[in-house]
């Protein structure tokens, strides 16, 4: 018998989220059923629920920063036991055979990984995300949450954490690397913590000075307001790696000018309009412009161990389900310190 889970559901781009239900399959041989305890509110959930991306299907249950406890396992499951503290991120399956899956980069699966919501699973059913009380996922796509991190602080690591950890590792953030993070929201604040723990020299570039104290407390050495034109003059050529987490349109040339010879700017934020930039901004200092999408399962587990070893988790504000729509507005207004997490017990 499939399980009926309580959920918060978007029925159209303009409906907001309302209480409803979602059906979860019985755990198959390799499946794990998770009792969800907390789900982070990622900005991507808002983009999706409001139909800002093409191909959104309704009714839609969003949420891909899931932390919970295993409540049932299929008969061939070996990786997880009932009672384990576990997490699920942005995807719940992938082809497992392509070169990228074999390399542990399932987020770049050549067949397209199966997103935690707004996708179709191998069972042919639409996937539904973590704004719900339970979820059934193949054991290979379920992460172990180390004891050192509370479930509420761990939930945002499943998307925001790995989305920052992966480029920081790829571009070798560490001692002697000058790393800047644009935007101190859900992704940005975790990026500051992780980059600082890796030993990099961290600069935050925020719209205003409001988050300065917090940024320094989380490990940043420098903090500048992007609203001040002097910021761009002062930092010209001073950074090795700049990661953009902002989803609003940004002046790419201005940020590229902050990079030293051969420096790299990585886009993780998803602006709605196409970006443009001058060739000279790259050519003049052999600079690189790149992008990065979440991280693979192996690296996500590595990130969780790294965070536990360094005593890191997200800075969260736990909310009840009835506050989700209001929380969406507050995220859009950049009024969150620094991730809303829904207490699934209130769904
Ligand atoms: P968020 O919590 O809203 O943070 C974004 C931050 O951008 C804000 O806190 C704000 O920080 C800054 N910002 C600058 N200009 C802004 C403006 N005009 N309006 C609002 N904020 C502005 O969002 P998030 O959850 O971190 O997600 C950020 C972006 O990354 C989204 O587009 C999301 O879809 C995307 N994302 C991408 C991936 C990936 O794999 N690449 C994964 C997850 C999310 P300041 O106040 O400090 O300026
Ligand atoms: Zn996300
Ligand atoms: Zn694949």
């Amino acid at each position: 018998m499939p399980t009926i889970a309580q959920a918060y559901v978007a029925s159209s781009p303009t409906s907001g989220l309302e209480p409803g239900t979602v059906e979860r399959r019985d755990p198959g041989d390799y499946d794990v059923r998770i009792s969800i305890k907390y789900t982070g509110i990622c900005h991507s959930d808002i983009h999706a629920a409001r139909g800002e991306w093409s191909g959104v299907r309704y009714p839609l249950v969003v949420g891909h920063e899931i932390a919970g406890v295993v409540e049932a396992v299929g008969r061939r499951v070996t990786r997880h036991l009932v009672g384990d503290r576990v997490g699920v991120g942005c995807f719940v399956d992938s082809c497992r055979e392509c070169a990228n899956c074999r390399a542990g980069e399932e987020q770049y699966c050549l067949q397209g990984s199966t997103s935690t919501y707004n996708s179709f699973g191998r069972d042919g059913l639409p996937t539904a995300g973590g704004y719900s009380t339970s979820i059934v996922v193949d054991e290979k796509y379920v992460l172990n949450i180390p004891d050192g991190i509370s479930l509420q602080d761990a939930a945002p690591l499943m998307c925001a954490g790995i989305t920052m950890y992966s480029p920081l590792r790829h571009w070798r953030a560490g001692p002697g690397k000058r790393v800047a993070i644009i935007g101190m929201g859900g992704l940005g604040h975790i990026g500051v913590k992780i980059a600082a723990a890796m030993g990099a020299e961290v600069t935050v570039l925020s719209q205003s000075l409001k988050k300065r104290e917090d940024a320094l407390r989380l490990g940043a050495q420098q903090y500048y307001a992007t609203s001040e034109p002097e910021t761009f003059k002062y930092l010209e050529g001073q950074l090795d790696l700049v990661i953009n987490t902002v989803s609003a349109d940004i002046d790419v040339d201005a940020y590229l000018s902050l990079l030293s010879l051969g420096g790299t700017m990585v886009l993780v934020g998803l602006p709605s309009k196409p970006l443009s930039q001058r060739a000279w901004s790259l050519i003049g200092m052999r600079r690189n412009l790149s992008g990065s999408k979440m991280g693979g399962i192996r690296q996500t587990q590595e990130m969780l161990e790294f965070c536990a070893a360094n005593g890191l988790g997200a800075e969260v504000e736990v909310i009840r389900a009835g506050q989700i729509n209001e929380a969406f507005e507050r995220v859009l207004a950049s009024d969150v310190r620094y991730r809303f997490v829904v207490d699934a017990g209130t769904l």
Side-chain angles (χ1 to χ4, degrees), residues 41-45 64-65 90 117 158-160 163 187 294 339:
I41 295 185
C42 176
H43 204 121
S44 300
D45 296 342
H64 58 205
E65 293 188 334
C90 300
Y117 57 80
M158 303 310 303
C159 171
T163 300
L187 266 57
M294 293 101 69
R339 198 56 139 188

Side-chain angles (χ1 to χ4, degrees), residues 94-102 105-113 141:
S94 65
C95 84
R96 310 171 191 208
E97 287 163 2
C98 73
N100 296 352
C101 280
R102 286 204 309 272
E105 303 271 23
E106 300 91 344
Q107 75 279 27
Y108 302 119
C109 174
L110 296 171
Q111 310 284 328
S113 56
Y141 297 81

